[in-house]
């Protein structure tokens, strides 16, 4: 385990999960943190003055060596990504994250990094296993034979294998999690990259604010998913990184909900009922997806367990503040 003054590097630290991870390391007393992101600092979700903040394009090999210099641990969360609306329409951009993945692994190996965490995704799973809304939760072995989410999912699966072979061939200690839909405060909530929980919060807040008591829902509302609150994600990332578990593991909640069920929760939090307009032409992703948590339970005796209603209440409150600050008057 890293000492409190060892250098910890968070790639994608200007983003949602990376920003929370930096904040969490600070809370735990780590004093030597480098946070790296391509975005200008004023667009970072969380930016701390006592952190070595670096604006750099990690697709470039030299930037990766600069970022990894002296690192004890590297947390790799940088990727060009977003919700379904983004990944279904930006497949090439998503696959180009392979440049970030490749150059960062090379830099980690050459800079003598002790532990390397990679954020993979449930989008690696075979699409044939996700055709039914009445899902059988996805086990880790269901990624093969491979038929990942086009674009984004294939890049994640390829990079998982690269992490494995860097461990086997070069002795780099790599650890991997397959995140299932992470949500919480500081997540993107408008602009096209937002995910369903944040988009639904924003739409409900907008309807309440404007008095137009209706909302658009992508699809027919019957698709099923599970959603993990950010605090569980942070705990899992650090648990996996410090462990001896070499294979990629699911990191997700197994509390399954339909899109309609998620809207019910947000309406309940907001104290409002809206007319729902279903748009079947919008990107919707697979019909059903849930996390099988047998392996994480076996290795750690733990799994993400923050209830969706509780996490959504915190997320709604944060998005409400953002919305009112921007559109409130
Ligand atoms: P995010 O978009 O908020 O954060 C990713 C960050 O990477 C962004 O701040 C972005 O600016 C940065 N980035 C993109 N290209 C870069 C580049 N060339 N150089 C440097 N930085 C660059 O996304 P997030 O939700 O925090 O996701 C973090 C990681 O977790 C990603 O790898 C993502 O694929 C993975 N993941 C997330 C979820 C989820 O539900 N949020 C689910 C599965 C996997």
């Amino acid at each position: 385990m890293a000492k409190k003054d060892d250098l910890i590097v968070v790639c994608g630290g200007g983003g949602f999960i990376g920003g929370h991870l930096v904040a969490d390391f600070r809370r735990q007393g780590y004093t030597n943190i480098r946070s790296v992101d391509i975005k200008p600092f004023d667009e970072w979700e969380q930016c701390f003055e006592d952190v070595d903040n670096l604006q750099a394009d990690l697709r470039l090999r030299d930037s990766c060596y600069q970022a990894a210099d002296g690192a004890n641990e590297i947390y790799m969360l940088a990727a060009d990504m977003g919700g379904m609306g983004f990944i279904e329409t930006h497949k090439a951009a998503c696959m180009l994250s392979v440049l970030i993945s490749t150059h960062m692994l090379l830099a980690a190996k050459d800079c003598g990094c002790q532990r390397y965490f990679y954020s993979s995704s449930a989008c690696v799973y075979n699409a044939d296993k996700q055709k039914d809304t009445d899902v059988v939760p996805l086990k880790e072995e269901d990624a093969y034979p491979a038929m990942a989410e086009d674009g984004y999912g294939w890049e994640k699966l390829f990079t998982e294998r690269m992490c494995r072979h860097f461990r086997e061939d070069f002795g780099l200690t790599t650890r991997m999690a397959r995140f299932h839909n992470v949500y919480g405060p500081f997540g993107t909530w408008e602009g096209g990259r937002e995910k369903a929980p944040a988009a639904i919060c924003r739409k409900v807040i907008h309807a309440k604010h404007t008095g137009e008591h209706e909302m658009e829902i992508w699809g027919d509302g019957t698709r099923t998913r599970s959603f993990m609150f950010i605090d569980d994600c942070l705990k899992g990332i650090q648990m996996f990184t410090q462990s001896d578990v070499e294979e990629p593991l699911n990191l997700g909640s197994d509390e399954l909900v339909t899109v309609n069920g998620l809207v019910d929760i947000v309406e309940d939090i907001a104290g409002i009922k809206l007319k729902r307009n279903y748009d079947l032409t919008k990107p919707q992703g697979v019909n059903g997806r849930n996390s099988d948590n047998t392996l994480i339970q076996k290795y750690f005796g733990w799994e993400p367990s923050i209830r969706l209603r509780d996490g959504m209440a915190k997320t709604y409150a944060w998005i409400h503040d953002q919305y009112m600050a921007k559109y409130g008057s």
Side-chain angles (χ1 to χ4, degrees):
M1 191 151 183
K3 296 194 293 299
K4 291 286 195 259
D5 60 350
D6 281 342
L7 178 60
I8 291 177
V9 174
V10 179
C11 302
F16 164 48
I17 302 172
H20 276 289
L21 195 59
V22 170
D24 198 47
F25 283 133
R26 286 176 76 251
R27 270 194 298 273
Q28 293 175 52
Y30 287 92
T31 55
N32 197 2
I33 306 167
R34 181 177 299 144
S35 181
V36 191
D37 205 288
I38 194 171
K39 293 187 293 201
F41 295 131
D42 62 357
E43 291 177 22
W44 289 27
E45 301 294 348
Q46 302 189 67
C47 193
F48 303 96
E49 281 181 1
D50 57 357
V51 166
D52 176 17
N53 298 311
L54 179 64
Q55 188 193 348
D57 181 351
L58 294 173
R59 287 172 298 191
L60 306 176
R61 196 171 181 274
D62 287 351
S63 299
C64 289
Y65 278 78
Q66 189 188 355
D69 186 31
N72 190 276
E73 293 181 355
I74 295 176
Y75 293 81
M76 179 53 195
L77 295 138
D80 199 2
M81 62 89 66
M84 261 304 143
F86 182 81
I87 65 175
E88 281 204 2
T89 54
H90 294 77
K91 291 179 184 143
C94 289
M95 293 210 83
L96 282 172
S97 291
V98 77
L99 293 172
I100 309 177
S101 306
T102 308
H103 290 144
M104 208 60 224
L105 273 168
L106 280 171
K109 167 178 87 71
D110 290 343
C111 294
C113 164
Q114 297 298 303
R115 278 178 188 260
Y116 186 94
F117 172 83
Y118 177 61
S119 54
S120 185
S121 165
C123 288
V124 300
Y125 284 113
N126 189 314
D128 287 343
K129 304 256 179 188
Q130 305 171 76
K131 286 187 166 159
D132 204 338
T133 52
D134 186 17
V135 293
V136 177
L138 292 161
K139 289 188 186 352
E140 284 75 357
E141 66 197 39
D142 293 332
Y144 297 97
M147 189 45 70
E149 176 87 37
D150 208 2
Y152 177 74
W154 278 103
E155 193 281 323
K156 290 288 183 194
L157 194 61
F158 174 82
T159 299
E160 278 188 4
R161 292 194 80 89
M162 229 178 359
C163 286
R164 170 176 148 191
H165 296 309
F166 268 64
R167 175 175 55 74
E168 290 169 348
D169 294 358
F170 300 139
L172 177 66
T173 302
T174 53
R175 300 289 180 257
M176 293 165 264
R178 291 177 181 159
F179 296 163
H180 290 245
N181 295 312
V182 191
Y183 71 99
F186 294 104
T188 307
W189 58 277
E190 64 170 357
R193 287 181 187 249
E194 63 277 20
K195 308 233 165 81
I200 292 169
C201 286
R202 186 201 67 234
K203 289 176 185 180
V204 170
I205 293 163
H206 178 75
K208 207 172 166 180
H209 180 63
T210 58
E212 295 160 17
H213 286 183
E214 53 184 307
M215 69 183 287
E216 180 191 81
I217 294 174
W218 289 12
D220 63 4
T222 61
R223 279 179 162 70
T224 48
R225 291 289 185 281
S226 70
F227 298 93
M228 168 170 58
F229 190 59
I230 183 67
D231 292 6
D232 275 336
C233 181
L234 296 176
K235 185 169 175 176
I237 290 172
Q238 292 168 70
M239 216 176 234
F240 285 18
T241 305
Q242 302 312 328
S243 78
D244 294 330
V245 183
E246 295 173 336
E247 60 194 301
L249 293 184
N250 282 332
L251 185 54
S253 162
D254 63 3
E255 183 184 348
L256 194 67
V257 67
T258 61
V259 173
N260 275 328
L262 187 58
V263 176
D264 290 342
I265 288 174
V266 179
E267 283 181 339
D268 185 51
I269 292 165
I272 197 170
K273 274 279 171 206
L274 302 175
K275 177 172 178 289
R276 300 177 187 186
N277 303 320
Y278 298 98
D279 187 344
L280 306 184
T281 66
K282 289 286 178 10
Q284 297 158 54
V286 294
N287 286 337
R289 176 181 289 162
N290 198 2
S291 177
D292 182 300
N293 287 343
T294 310
L295 273 188
I296 188 175
Q297 274 290 0
K298 177 180 143 197
Y299 286 123
F300 301 103
W302 175 85
E303 66 185 285
S305 59
I306 296 169
R307 307 301 298 168
L308 186 57
R309 176 71 172 69
D310 298 338
M312 286 303 288
K314 291 183 182 166
T315 307
Y316 179 91
W318 182 82
I319 295 175
H320 186 268
D321 288 350
Q322 306 305 305
Y323 181 96
M324 293 313 282
K326 195 164 174 187
Y327 303 112
S329 55

